[in-house]
Amino acid sequence: MSLSYLWSRSFLTSRPFLWLLFWCNLVGTVYGYIWYGGQLEYTLNYHPMWQIVFVPDSPTASLFFTISIAFLLYPPHLKSLKVIRQIMEALAVVTSVKYGIWASAIILWGVAQGGTMVWQDWMLIASHTAMAVEALLFVRFFTCKWIALCLAALWTLLNDTMDYTFGIYPYLPRTLTDDVPQVCVFTYMLTLVSIVAAWLAMLARNRKVSSHRDIA
C-alpha cells in the first residue's frame, strides 16, 4: 500500500477506515471522561453545576470529532441536521487542534520544569497529537463554513475564560502549579493559533473545490 494512497480521499473516506476512526475516537472519548472523573466530581461538589460542561476539554473535543465522523458515515438530509453537522465539524477542528497540542505541550512543559515522564504521559502525547493531526487531515472532507467556524471560535474562547476565571482548567503537572498565569496566556494564544489553522485549512479546502469546479 503506497504512502500516497494512505493520504488519499478514497482511503480516508472509505467506510472501513471511517468506522475504525469512529470507534477509536469514541473509546478515547469515554476514556477521557473517565480520566476527568475526579475533577468532574470535585467541580460538582464545590462549583455551580453549570460549570461542569467546561471541565472535560479534551474528551469533549474528541466527542465533537466522533460526531463529525458519524456525519461522514451517514450524511444528513434535513437542513437542521446539516447546520448541526457544520457546527460539530468546526468545533471538532478547532478544539481537537487546540487541546491536542495543549495537552502534549503541558506534559513536556512540566517535564522541562523538573517533572518525570511516565508511560501514561507518552500515551497522552501520542493520542492528543493524533487528535490534532486527524482534525486537520479531515477538514477537506467536512462541510463546515465560516459562520460555524466563528461559533466554534467563540465557544473555545469562552471555555478558556471559564477555565481560568473559575479555576476549572485541567489539572496541571505539579511542577506547573506556580505557572498558572503563564499557562493561561499560552492557552489563549493556542486557541487563536488553532482558529487560524482551521481557517487556513478551510480556505485551502475551498480553493481546491473551486479549482475542481473550474476544471469541470
Side-chain angles (χ1 to χ4, degrees):
M1 185 178 293
S2 67
L3 183 61
S4 60
Y5 178 71
L6 288 174
W7 292 91
S8 69
R9 173 183 288 269
S10 58
F11 174 74
L12 293 174
T13 60
S14 63
R15 295 189 72 81
F17 185 77
L18 288 177
W19 275 116
L20 175 64
L21 207 59
F22 174 85
W23 286 111
C24 287
N25 278 274
L26 183 60
V27 170
T29 298
V30 173
Y31 178 79
Y33 283 116
I34 294 173
W35 181 276
Y36 271 88
Q39 188 174 358
L40 290 169
E41 183 179 358
Y42 180 88
T43 303
L44 286 174
N45 290 334
Y46 298 99
H47 291 265
M49 184 177 293
W50 62 267
Q51 292 181 11
I52 197 72
V53 69
F54 298 105
V55 173
D57 295 333
S58 293
T60 302
S62 180
L63 178 62
F64 291 145
F65 190 81
T66 303
I67 295 172
S68 298
I69 294 299
F71 279 127
L72 282 176
L73 285 164
Y74 299 100
H77 300 291
L78 293 177
K79 185 176 181 180
S80 58
L81 287 178
K82 289 181 179 180
V83 172
I84 293 173
R85 174 185 181 176
Q86 291 183 18
I87 295 173
M88 288 294 105
E89 290 172 342
L91 284 166
V93 176
V94 174
T95 61
S96 293
V97 172
K98 186 265 183 74
Y99 294 115
I101 297 173
W102 186 90
S104 300
I106 291 298
I107 291 171
L108 295 175
W109 190 352
V111 172
Q113 294 278 58
T116 56
M117 291 280 286
V118 295
W119 71 267
Q120 291 97 331
D121 293 325
W122 291 110
M123 179 269 292
L124 290 171
I125 288 176
S127 61
H128 282 79
T129 300
M131 284 175 58
V133 171
E134 68 183 6
L136 291 175
L137 191 61
F138 272 79
V139 174
R140 56 181 169 145
F141 310 130
F142 288 164
T143 63
C144 51
K145 298 180 181 178
W146 305 118
I147 185 64
L149 177 60
C150 290
L151 291 174
L154 290 173
W155 166 261
T156 311
L157 290 169
L158 174 63
N159 200 344
D160 293 345
T161 302
M162 295 297 104
D163 280 355
Y164 294 94
T165 299
F166 298 105
I168 54 174
Y169 50 83
Y171 289 154
L172 301 172
R174 292 182 180 179
T175 53
L176 295 184
T177 53
D178 295 332
D179 298 312
V180 174
Q182 293 89 335
V183 171
C184 176
V185 173
F186 170 72
T187 301
Y188 273 103
M189 294 301 296
L190 186 55
T191 294
L192 296 177
V193 169
S194 300
I195 294 167
V196 172
W199 174 71
L200 291 174
M202 289 173 59
L203 195 64
R205 176 201 66 187
N206 293 346
R207 286 176 176 171
K208 190 171 184 178
V209 171
S210 298
S211 65
H212 285 171
R213 288 175 179 172
D214 291 341
I215 293 174

